[in-house]
Amino acid sequence: MLGAMHDTGQGVRTDHALAVHYYRQATDQGHAEGRCCLGICYRNSSGVPQCHAEAARYFRLAADQGFAQAQSQIGVCYALGQGIAQDDEEAARYNRLAADQGDATGQCNYAMACLHGLGVPQGHEEGARYHRLAADQGHAPSMLALGARLVDD
């Protein structure tokens, strides 16, 4: 995607504003990944002024198209109340959707929800299972969580 190339300087000079331009074009065509990338730009103030409400809006659009990365991103927004009303159940629901598509961040976030009973019934076995799935993909926070669990046992 041309927007990502300008965002990261991959083969072209880095130009965040131009990246946003291309992400908007993709977004206008209903492209889920473009919507997610535009949400990240709004969250991180990359090429646009920071606006958590706009970030959440674009994450939600992409998440509702089934884009796993956006599902975990909107899950974080719901968990933190960042740009959207805080809602543990919605956070867990979106993170579970991402997790079940193999998204390591979603797996880790859903594991934490399970372990702490945030939006879902508390379940240590379920939490550990999702942490293992993420850790198997090299997700460092889940590796740390599993290691800490072994030390505590």
Side-chain angles (χ1 to χ4, degrees):
M1 186 155 62
L2 197 52
M5 291 173 69
H6 283 284
D7 210 8
T8 61
Q10 203 173 19
V12 296
R13 81 178 164 78
T14 301
D15 185 334
H16 298 295
L18 190 55
V20 167
H21 168 77
Y22 288 118
Y23 291 149
R24 281 191 199 287
Q25 285 186 339
T27 294
D28 291 345
Q29 294 177 29
H31 191 266
E33 186 176 359
R35 289 174 170 174
C36 185
C37 290
L38 191 54
I40 291 168
C41 289
Y42 275 107
R43 184 193 60 209
N44 296 343
S45 184
S46 180
V48 291
Q50 186 175 55
C51 181
H52 291 293
E54 281 295 286
R57 183 169 79 88
Y58 285 110
F59 291 148
R60 177 85 186 253
L61 287 170
D64 289 343
Q65 288 179 266
F67 190 65
Q69 182 184 3
Q71 290 168 336
S72 63
Q73 294 293 330
I74 193 65
V76 170
C77 292
Y78 275 116
L80 301 175
Q82 200 169 56
I84 201 164
Q86 196 277 337
D87 186 328
D88 288 335
E89 288 180 11
E90 281 295 280
R93 183 174 78 82
Y94 276 106
N95 279 310
R96 174 74 185 261
L97 289 170
D100 288 345
Q101 289 190 69
D103 182 81
T105 300
Q107 291 166 339
C108 180
N109 293 343
Y110 186 69
M112 295 304 290
C114 291
L115 291 172
H116 298 286
L118 298 171
V120 293
Q122 190 169 17
H124 293 281
E125 288 180 24
E126 181 86 340
R129 184 170 79 81
Y130 276 92
H131 268 314
R132 276 192 298 280
L133 290 170
D136 287 347
Q137 295 184 63
H139 194 261
S142 284
M143 291 176 180
L144 290 170
L146 287 170
R149 183 181 163 116
L150 291 172
V151 169
D152 288 343
D153 286 347

